[in-house]
Amino acid sequence: MAVPHSARHWSAVESLAPGDAADLQNRRLREQLDYLAARSDFYKAKFAEHSVDVTRVRTVEDLAGLPFTEKQELRDSLAATPPLGNHVAAEAADIVQIQASSGTTGSPSYVGLTRRDIDVWSELGARALYANGFRPGDRLLHGFGMSKGFVGGIPVVQMAQYMGIVDIPIGAEAGAERLLRVQADQRPDALIGTPNFLAYPAEQAPTILGLRARDLGVRAISVGGEPGGGLPAVRGKLESLWGATSREMLGGTDIACIYWGECEAGDGMHFLSPDLMVAELIDPETDEIVAPVAGARGELVYTALRRQASPLLRFRTRDHVVVTGTDCACGRTGYKVRCVGRTDDMLIVRGINLFPSAVKQLVSELAPATTGEMRIRVDFEGHSTQKPLMLVVECSDGLGTEQQDDLRSSIEQRVRSALGVKAVVELVPDRTLARPDHVKVNLIERVS
């Protein structure tokens, strides 16, 4: 168990003067580049292809001349060199944990971790959760999904234990009633999950328990996994329902789990760890560097530092943020951001990350009974729901009633088995769903 640096900050790094933080980050960057050049077949080939001499990269500013790492490259690496791709850079004997993130085709992206990698992930998360208001000695009700190796599952448990927090790993997939029963029995003072999901059990508390959620003892809430946790209406609803502070955090599987955290000021998530990662802001249209000044917008690009098993260099996240400030009364010196969206239209269904293209792949595999065309019908706010997944699927002409019943059951079973979510399927005749020319089909159909 680690201990906090002070009453306000988990680590002294969070309040380093900008010059000192840059010196530390540049030193760690050179160490990581040397490691990649020596240990990663993926980056050896990438450096050779782009004529990169890592000895000439001395500062973070020099990264602008290096190529990005794209998500598709990692998928291709994993497919070509299973189980962890040719971007793995640690010996198999040193890898002690493998995490899986949701994949766009239904196959997860796998990330290896050494013992030191787990410690680095835990340290990154501890800084963010401490800023959110979590403290050693707290008891935490775990409202992220715990199944399928989801990064909000076991890694968050490890972060909590690293901080001296007791995690109660119930998981979103257990449902609102079970979470509320555990909250009523154990009275944990901290709560973590996606913002739209955490509002749902709070609304159900009077019916299920005969008590208001605000009377169940929660002091601090940390939300993430989808944009919107920092919106005043969303935050106000959560805080009113639970009678607790709600603060936002941000992360992702490929670099770590949680690494941005909002402090008590509540006006954006701080960059907290220049010693453990680099966060660049780029214009997603031109790929040019954007200075992180108040009001700036861009896409986050990350380079891991002190990473062993699956280190990434200039990884494009497709997370789009706005910079909300560059200083703060809390004393943290990292700039602050609010995430405003993603390139992907990811949904979170009962705590499970879900990409529409993964569902489409499963439906398409049932051709010729289906045409392959489908839509996910969304009748909820935001990106998260506790409802079953509502699918509209085109079936081919000529199917009888019994064949349609079999097809409907088959789709529902395949989605549940492959993706871990319950689906309710409506079959419609061929050519019912629009197919716009020269425009990407939006697989999500929002209805009021």
Side-chain angles (χ1 to χ4, degrees):
M1 178 184 120
V3 295
H5 166 70
S6 70
R8 300 199 77 178
H9 307 143
W10 179 264
S11 170
V13 173
E14 298 169 50
S15 56
L16 281 178
D20 293 336
D23 289 344
L24 176 56
Q25 188 172 60
N26 290 335
R27 185 171 73 252
R28 291 281 174 84
L29 175 62
R30 293 191 291 269
E31 292 170 356
Q32 187 73 66
L33 286 170
D34 289 343
Y35 182 87
L36 292 177
R39 301 292 299 270
S40 172
D41 291 341
F42 177 87
Y43 283 108
K44 286 179 188 178
K46 200 171 181 70
F47 293 159
E49 178 186 354
H50 294 272
S51 302
V52 172
D53 179 358
V54 297
T55 65
R56 299 176 66 87
V57 180
R58 311 305 295 166
T59 70
V60 168
E61 286 71 25
D62 296 332
L63 285 174
L66 273 59
F68 295 114
T69 300
E70 301 280 359
K71 185 71 173 180
Q72 188 59 50
E73 292 181 276
L74 302 184
R75 296 190 191 104
D76 294 343
S77 171
L78 286 162
T81 315
L84 292 174
N86 64 359
H87 57 285
V88 71
E91 298 296 332
D94 294 329
I95 294 172
V96 299
Q97 188 167 316
I98 295 174
Q99 288 299 141
S101 67
S102 297
T104 58
T105 63
S107 180
S109 293
Y110 297 101
V111 176
L113 298 166
T114 66
R115 180 66 259 175
R116 192 179 83 177
D117 289 336
I118 292 173
D119 289 342
V120 168
W121 275 28
S122 295
E123 176 64 23
L124 285 163
R127 296 176 190 180
L129 296 178
Y130 198 80
N132 285 173
F134 289 11
R135 294 293 181 265
D138 282 350
R139 283 144 48 89
L140 172 65
L141 182 62
H142 201 121
F144 278 131
M146 289 296 300
S147 64
K148 293 185 177 291
F150 175 50
V151 75
I154 294 299
V156 171
V157 175
Q158 291 167 327
M159 287 173 198
Q161 293 172 342
Y162 178 83
M163 295 177 71
I165 292 171
V166 177
D167 190 290
I168 307 175
I170 302 303
E173 56 270 65
E177 180 169 356
R178 181 162 173 78
L179 283 167
L180 285 169
R181 297 288 182 194
V182 173
Q183 180 65 45
D185 291 342
Q186 294 293 320
R187 299 293 171 125
D189 19 37
L191 179 61
I192 194 167
T194 62
N196 285 293
F197 167 64
L198 292 183
Y200 178 72
E203 291 170 336
Q204 300 302 308
T207 300
I208 293 172
L209 300 177
L211 295 169
R212 298 179 304 171
R214 66 182 301 110
D215 297 324
L216 295 176
V218 176
R219 186 196 77 250
I221 302 171
S222 176
V223 296
E226 63 183 2
L231 294 175
V234 175
R235 169 171 292 160
K237 181 178 181 180
L238 280 172
E239 293 188 336
S240 175
L241 284 167
W242 286 102
T245 62
S246 179
R247 293 294 178 264
E248 197 174 22
M249 48 74 173
L250 176 67
T253 310
D254 296 285
I255 292 294
C257 177
I258 299 171
Y259 34 85
W260 294 80
E262 188 174 37
C263 70
E264 62 269 22
D267 59 357
M269 296 172 283
H270 285 275
F271 179 61
L272 301 165
S273 302
D275 56 328
L276 299 176
M277 61 189 300
V278 176
E280 298 175 272
L281 196 63
I282 67 165
D283 183 321
E285 300 298 325
T286 67
D287 296 344
E288 296 295 321
I289 297 293
V290 175
V293 297
R297 290 176 174 266
E299 176 191 336
L300 288 169
V301 173
Y302 295 132
T303 295
L305 304 179
R306 303 209 76 208
R307 188 65 181 274
Q308 293 179 321
S310 299
L312 299 181
L313 173 69
R314 300 205 82 201
F315 174 69
R316 292 193 67 157
T317 64
R318 310 295 173 175
D319 282 335
H320 293 250
V321 301
V322 58
V323 178
T324 61
T326 56
D327 56 11
C328 190
C330 75
R332 293 176 177 87
T333 50
Y335 65 95
K336 295 179 286 189
V337 303
R338 186 77 71 209
C339 187
V340 295
R342 287 184 54 83
T343 304
D344 329 89
D345 280 321
M346 187 183 76
L347 299 174
I348 302 172
V349 180
R350 293 184 63 84
I352 303 296
N353 289 0
L354 185 79
F355 288 92
S357 52
V359 182
K360 183 175 176 63
Q361 175 72 18
L362 295 174
V363 170
S364 298
E365 289 171 354
L366 291 173
T370 76
T371 68
E373 292 296 323
M374 49 73 64
R375 300 291 184 271
I376 298 174
R377 186 166 288 164
V378 172
D379 62 353
F380 51 87
E381 295 294 328
H383 297 265
S384 180
T385 183
Q386 278 294 288
K387 300 178 180 179
L389 191 70
M390 307 300 292
L391 297 183
V392 180
V393 178
E394 278 187 2
C395 65
S396 300
D397 291 336
L399 293 184
T401 301
E402 186 174 338
Q403 290 172 304
Q404 289 189 25
D405 289 341
D406 289 343
L407 176 60
R408 188 182 298 108
S409 296
S410 180
I411 295 170
E412 291 173 354
Q413 188 279 326
R414 286 167 65 84
V415 170
R416 188 176 187 91
S417 176
L419 304 178
V421 300
K422 181 179 179 181
V424 175
V425 173
E426 175 189 349
L427 296 179
V428 296
D430 187 6
R431 310 304 300 180
T432 299
L433 301 176
R435 296 161 173 80
D437 292 333
H438 311 298
V439 178
K440 180 182 177 182
V441 174
N442 190 349
L443 299 179
I444 296 177
E445 177 182 285
R446 291 196 175 269
V447 296
S448 56

